[in-house]
Amino acid sequence: MAALSSLHHISTTLSLLGLTKPSLLAPPFRRPFRGLPPITSSSLEFNITFAPPSPKPKPPPNLKSDGVLDSDSPQNGQFFIPWIVRGEDGNLKLQAHPPDNFLKALAEAKTQKPKKKVDKAAKKKKDISAVGNAGIEPPAPPPKLSKAARRFYNEHFREPPQRLSKVLAAAGVASRRGSEELIFNGKVTVNGTVCNAPQTRVDPGKDIIYVNGNRLPKKLPPKVYLALNKPKGYICSSGEKEFRSVLDLFEDYLKAWDKINPGSPKPRLFTVGRLDVATTGLIIVTNDGDFAQKLSHPSSNLTKEYIATIDGEVRKRHLIAISEGTEIEGVLCVPDSVELLPTQPDLSRPRIRIVVHEGRNHEVRELVKNAGLEIHSLKRVRIGGFRLPADLGLGKHIELKQSDLRTMGWKS
């Protein structure tokens, strides 16, 4: 029907122009339209054909007809991954290959070998197990500090220069008195010059110190504070050879020092105060001279508690005589307290608790002797606020904590 309508329209137009042959208007057009002039020309013939419709443009591969990427339509079994690139005209466009500048930058890029990931936990566990097999606890690594941090520490926290005799004693060369003798005898040089003054201020970290031709280490040993349960038969000094010294009980401790504190020199240990050879119990061992002097000085008023086991019967008059005190080296020594302890089934001898604070030589023994009693055994159980642990065996020691030192009136 559409073709007939188009033919009718064309024929009508040709008729109006007088170009149509009447035979062409044969049925169904036998008569001309009303109001139009008759067609008289019969010499013209036309061959009219219609062109096929123009084909619609095919969409690009993997694109829908509206220009949108079709991610579901594979091309030759592969998915098309477009690149959105801004062209020279400034407009965005899609293309199937990367832009040239990207390929150039990728070709010029330097490739690096990927670093192997180190499992820190596994490495630490391996180190701990290796050290643990040797029976040594691994030391903590020192922190890495900047130059500014080290300078700030040296200016505000580093210890000022100290007396030469004190430095030698702290380094374990000899006691402070022995160090002074070495200095007086010209056995010590500081920065290449013989020094004969023990009060000379030196810094072991900066000054070069030699003793008997041996270089003093720059790094001093750390401060050590130990509590020993002294057994009977040991003295508190190392000069007499006929008796064993309490310092001999620390041979194993000093042998293991290099394993526990690598790179740190061994400390020179000494006792704080003394206990006679027959007295047992608590004694402090350290390498800190200031700490020892503070605890030993009478101005500290540090109380010391002793338990005296007596041979024979103890009467009230004996306790009164002890509490009244006795004269020792021209000084009247009066105890702080005297108490007869309750009897115990496993102990047949009576015991007296005596607390003193002066700590003169053989003070407790002289107090008991002056009262007419004879001591079977004497044991010190407390210094200041620190009491000898009940489970600490004879000849054994423990390291003191800062809280223990504070109970004895020491603030580091």
Side-chain angles (χ1 to χ4, degrees), residues 252-263:
D252 294 339
Y253 175 79
L254 295 176
K255 285 180 180 178
W257 177 267
D258 293 334
K259 297 180 180 179
I260 301 174
N261 304 282

Side-chain angles (χ1 to χ4, degrees), residues 119-396:
D119 192 352
K120 294 183 178 179
K123 184 179 179 182
K124 185 177 180 182
K125 187 176 180 181
K126 182 179 178 182
D127 295 341
I128 292 175
S129 62
V131 178
N133 294 334
I136 308 167
E137 185 176 352
K144 294 183 180 179
L145 303 177
S146 63
K147 290 184 178 180
R150 292 195 298 268
R151 189 183 305 112
F152 181 82
Y153 173 81
N154 293 335
E155 292 176 356
H156 294 84
F157 298 100
R158 189 168 184 171
E159 293 184 0
Q162 304 176 18
R163 289 169 56 95
L164 178 58
S165 59
K166 182 179 179 180
V167 170
L168 296 182
V173 175
S175 64
R176 190 171 297 190
R177 189 174 300 175
S179 299
E180 291 177 354
E181 293 179 0
L182 290 172
I183 296 171
F184 288 138
N185 294 333
K187 303 294 184 180
V188 181
T189 61
V190 178
N191 297 327
T193 305
V194 177
C195 183
N196 295 318
Q199 67 273 15
T200 303
R201 299 283 175 173
V202 295
D203 185 356
K206 296 180 180 179
D207 298 321
I208 301 174
I209 305 172
Y210 277 86
V211 181
N212 288 327
N214 298 320
R215 172 75 181 271
L216 193 73
K218 290 186 176 182
K219 187 177 180 181
L220 294 178
K223 304 297 182 183
V224 177
Y225 307 93
L226 307 170
L228 172 69
N229 188 1
K230 175 187 172 298
K232 191 176 181 178
Y234 286 80
I235 60 174
C236 295
S237 61
S238 56
E240 302 178 15
K241 296 183 179 180
E242 58 270 18
F243 292 102
R244 292 173 294 178
S245 172
V246 294
L247 301 180
D248 296 338
L249 300 172
F250 294 93
E251 289 183 355
D252 294 339
Y253 175 79
L254 295 176
K255 285 180 180 178
W257 177 267
D258 293 334
K259 297 180 180 179
I260 301 174
N261 304 282
S264 179
K266 293 181 181 180
R268 188 192 69 84
L269 301 177
F270 52 86
T271 60
V272 180
R274 293 187 179 185
L275 291 176
D276 58 57
V277 65
T279 304
T280 63
L282 177 62
I283 190 167
I284 306 300
V285 180
T286 183
N287 65 336
D288 189 348
D290 295 333
F291 170 75
Q293 185 178 8
K294 171 71 175 177
L295 263 64
S296 303
H297 201 274
S299 62
S300 63
N301 290 323
L302 205 61
T303 59
K304 303 174 182 66
E305 180 179 337
Y306 294 81
I307 302 297
T309 303
I310 308 299
D311 282 333
E313 189 177 358
V314 178
R315 301 285 184 176
K316 186 176 181 180
R317 58 184 175 85
H318 295 138
L319 300 178
I320 294 175
I322 295 174
S323 61
E324 288 177 351
T326 187
E327 186 175 340
I328 302 174
E329 298 177 355
V331 178
L332 180 62
C333 299
V334 180
D336 294 350
S337 65
V338 179
E339 178 187 1
L340 180 63
L341 298 177
T343 58
Q344 294 183 359
D346 55 339
L347 298 175
S348 59
R349 294 182 175 88
R351 296 177 304 148
I352 303 175
R353 185 177 69 89
I354 303 174
V355 179
V356 297
H357 67 274
E358 293 184 2
R360 294 188 176 273
N361 191 23
H362 304 294
E363 179 179 359
V364 176
R365 291 185 179 274
E366 291 294 330
L367 288 170
V368 175
K369 182 181 178 181
N370 186 61
L373 297 174
E374 184 178 352
I375 291 180
H376 175 74
S377 64
L378 183 63
K379 181 179 182 179
R380 183 162 66 185
V381 296
R382 180 176 62 84
I383 298 177
F386 179 75
R387 185 173 293 275
L388 181 68
D391 57 347
L392 186 62
L394 286 172
K396 303 299 181 181

Side-chain angles (χ1 to χ4, degrees), residues 14-65:
L14 294 174
S15 301
L16 292 174
L17 297 174
L19 300 175
T20 306
K21 189 176 179 181
S23 60
L24 294 175
L25 298 176
F29 305 104
R30 294 185 182 274
R31 288 185 290 181
F33 294 99
R34 293 178 182 179
L36 293 177
I39 299 174
T40 58
S41 177
S42 60
S43 61
L44 294 177
E45 291 183 1
F46 293 92
N47 185 12
I48 300 174
T49 59
F50 297 94
S54 59
K56 294 183 180 181
K58 294 182 179 180
N62 295 330
L63 292 179
K64 295 181 180 179
S65 58

